[in-house]
Coordinates of all heavy atoms in Angstrom, one line a residue:
Chain B
Q65 N 6.7 30.9 -17.9 CA 5.8 29.8 -18.3 C 4.9 29.4 -17.2 O 4.1 28.4 -17.4 CB 6.5 28.6 -18.9 CG 7.4 29.0 -20.1 CD 7.5 27.9 -21.1 OE1 6.8 27.9 -22.0 NE2 8.4 27.0 -20.8
G66 N 5.0 30.0 -16.0 CA 4.1 29.7 -14.9 C 4.1 28.2 -14.5 O 3.0 27.7 -14.2
G67 N 5.2 27.5 -14.6 CA 5.2 26.1 -14.2 C 4.7 25.2 -15.3 O 4.3 24.1 -15.1
R68 N 4.7 25.7 -16.5 CA 4.2 24.9 -17.6 C 5.0 23.6 -17.8 O 4.5 22.6 -18.0 CB 4.2 25.8 -18.9 CG 3.6 25.2 -20.1 CD 3.4 26.3 -21.1 NE 2.8 25.9 -22.3 CZ 3.5 25.4 -23.3 NH1 4.8 25.3 -23.3 NH2 2.8 25.0 -24.4
N69 N 6.3 23.8 -17.8 CA 7.2 22.6 -17.9 C 8.4 22.8 -16.9 O 8.7 23.9 -16.6 CB 7.8 22.5 -19.3 CG 6.7 22.2 -20.4 OD1 6.0 21.2 -20.2 ND2 6.6 23.0 -21.4
W70 N 8.9 21.7 -16.5 CA 10.1 21.7 -15.6 C 11.4 21.8 -16.4 O 12.4 22.3 -15.8 CB 10.1 20.4 -14.8 CG 9.1 20.5 -13.6 CD1 7.8 20.7 -13.7 CD2 9.4 20.4 -12.2 NE1 7.2 20.7 -12.5 CE2 8.2 20.5 -11.5 CE3 10.6 20.2 -11.5 CZ2 8.1 20.5 -10.1 CZ3 10.5 20.1 -10.1 CH2 9.3 20.3 -9.5
W71 N 11.4 21.4 -17.6 CA 12.6 21.5 -18.4 C 12.2 21.6 -19.9 O 11.1 21.3 -20.3 CB 13.5 20.4 -18.2 CG 13.0 19.0 -18.5 CD1 12.7 18.5 -19.8 CD2 12.6 18.0 -17.6 NE1 12.2 17.3 -19.7 CE2 12.1 16.9 -18.4 CE3 12.7 17.8 -16.2 CZ2 11.7 15.7 -17.8 CZ3 12.2 16.6 -15.7 CH2 11.8 15.6 -16.4
G72 N 13.2 22.0 -20.7 CA 12.9 22.1 -22.1 C 14.1 22.7 -22.8 O 15.0 23.3 -22.2
N73 N 14.0 22.7 -24.1 CA 15.1 23.3 -25.0 C 14.5 24.6 -25.5 O 13.4 24.7 -26.0 CB 15.4 22.4 -26.1 CG 16.4 21.3 -25.7 OD1 16.2 20.5 -24.8 ND2 17.6 21.4 -26.3
V74 N 15.4 25.6 -25.4 CA 15.1 26.9 -26.1 C 15.9 26.9 -27.4 O 17.1 26.8 -27.4 CB 15.5 28.1 -25.3 CG1 15.2 29.4 -26.0 CG2 14.8 28.0 -23.9
T75 N 15.2 26.8 -28.5 CA 15.8 26.7 -29.8 C 15.7 28.1 -30.6 O 14.6 28.6 -30.7 CB 15.2 25.6 -30.6 OG1 15.2 24.4 -29.9 CG2 15.9 25.4 -31.9
T76 N 16.8 28.6 -31.0 CA 16.9 29.8 -31.7 C 17.2 29.6 -33.2 O 18.2 28.9 -33.5 CB 17.9 30.8 -31.1 OG1 17.7 30.9 -29.7 CG2 17.9 32.1 -31.7
C77 N 16.5 30.2 -34.1 CA 16.7 30.0 -35.5 C 16.6 31.4 -36.2 O 16.0 32.3 -35.7 CB 15.6 29.1 -36.1 SG 15.5 27.5 -35.3
V78 N 17.2 31.4 -37.4 CA 17.1 32.6 -38.2 C 16.8 32.2 -39.7 O 17.2 31.1 -40.1 CB 18.4 33.5 -38.2 CG1 18.6 34.1 -36.8 CG2 19.6 32.6 -38.6
Y79 N 16.2 33.1 -40.4 CA 16.0 32.8 -41.8 C 15.7 34.1 -42.6 O 15.4 35.1 -42.0 CB 14.8 31.8 -42.0 CG 13.5 32.2 -41.6 CD1 12.6 32.8 -42.6 CD2 13.0 32.2 -40.3 CE1 11.3 33.2 -42.2 CE2 11.8 32.6 -39.9 CZ 10.9 33.1 -40.9 OH 9.7 33.5 -40.5
M80 N 15.7 34.0 -43.9 CA 15.4 35.1 -44.8 C 14.4 34.6 -45.8 O 14.5 33.5 -46.2 CB 16.7 35.7 -45.4 CG 17.7 36.2 -44.5 SD 19.2 36.8 -45.3 CE 18.5 38.2 -46.2
T81 N 13.5 35.5 -46.2 CA 12.6 35.1 -47.2 C 12.8 35.8 -48.6 O 12.1 35.5 -49.5 CB 11.1 35.4 -46.7 OG1 11.0 36.8 -46.5 CG2 10.8 34.6 -45.5
A82 N 13.7 36.7 -48.6 CA 14.0 37.5 -49.8 C 15.4 37.9 -49.9 O 16.1 38.1 -48.8 CB 13.0 38.7 -49.9
P83 N 15.9 38.2 -51.1 CA 17.3 38.6 -51.2 C 17.5 40.1 -50.7 O 16.5 40.8 -50.6 CB 17.6 38.5 -52.7 CG 16.3 38.5 -53.3 CD 15.3 38.0 -52.4
L84 N 18.7 40.5 -50.5 CA 19.0 41.9 -50.2 C 19.0 42.6 -51.5 O 19.6 42.1 -52.5 CB 20.4 42.0 -49.5 CG 20.5 41.7 -48.0 CD1 20.4 40.2 -47.8 CD2 21.8 42.2 -47.4
T85 N 18.4 43.8 -51.5 CA 18.3 44.5 -52.8 C 19.0 45.9 -52.7 O 19.1 46.4 -51.6 CB 16.8 44.7 -53.2 OG1 16.2 45.4 -52.1 CG2 16.2 43.4 -53.5
G86 N 19.4 46.4 -53.8 CA 20.1 47.7 -53.9 C 19.2 48.8 -54.0 O 18.0 48.7 -53.8
T87 N 19.7 49.9 -54.4 CA 18.9 51.2 -54.6 C 19.0 51.7 -56.0 O 19.8 51.3 -56.8 CB 19.5 52.3 -53.6 OG1 20.9 52.5 -54.0 CG2 19.5 51.8 -52.2
N88 N 18.1 52.6 -56.3 CA 18.1 53.4 -57.5 C 18.1 52.5 -58.8 O 18.8 52.7 -59.7 CB 19.3 54.3 -57.6 CG 19.2 55.4 -56.5 OD1 18.3 56.1 -56.4 ND2 20.3 55.5 -55.7
G89 N 17.3 51.4 -58.7 CA 17.2 50.5 -59.8 C 18.3 49.6 -60.1 O 18.4 48.9 -61.1
N90 N 19.3 49.5 -59.1 CA 20.4 48.5 -59.3 C 19.8 47.1 -59.3 O 19.1 46.7 -58.4 CB 21.3 48.7 -58.0 CG 22.4 47.7 -58.0 OD1 22.6 47.0 -59.0 ND2 23.0 47.6 -56.9
P91 N 20.1 46.4 -60.4 CA 19.4 45.1 -60.5 C 20.1 44.0 -59.7 O 19.6 42.9 -59.5 CB 19.6 44.8 -62.0 CG 20.8 45.6 -62.4 CD 20.8 46.8 -61.6
D92 N 21.3 44.3 -59.1 CA 22.0 43.3 -58.4 C 21.3 43.0 -57.1 O 20.7 43.9 -56.4 CB 23.5 43.7 -58.1 CG 24.3 43.8 -59.4 OD1 23.8 43.3 -60.4 OD2 25.5 44.3 -59.3
T93 N 21.5 41.7 -56.6 CA 20.9 41.3 -55.3 C 21.9 40.4 -54.6 O 22.9 39.9 -55.2 CB 19.6 40.6 -55.5 OG1 19.9 39.4 -56.2 CG2 18.6 41.4 -56.1
I94 N 21.7 40.3 -53.3 CA 22.5 39.3 -52.5 C 21.5 38.3 -52.1 O 20.6 38.5 -51.3 CB 23.2 40.0 -51.3 CG1 24.2 41.1 -51.8 CG2 24.0 38.9 -50.5 CD1 24.8 41.9 -50.6
Q95 N 21.7 37.1 -52.6 CA 20.8 36.0 -52.3 C 21.0 35.5 -50.8 O 22.1 35.5 -50.3 CB 21.0 34.8 -53.2 CG 20.6 35.1 -54.7 CD 19.1 35.5 -54.8 OE1 18.3 34.8 -54.2 NE2 18.8 36.5 -55.6

Side-chain angles (χ1 to χ4, degrees):
Chain B
Q65 305 211 96
R68 190 167 179 268
N69 292 307
W70 281 56
W71 61 69
N73 278 59
V74 179
T75 306
T76 305
C77 305
V78 291
Y79 65 97
M80 297 177 68
T81 58
L84 282 72
T85 54
T87 60
N88 296 306
N90 174 13
D92 290 352
T93 61
I94 301 176
Q95 293 298 316

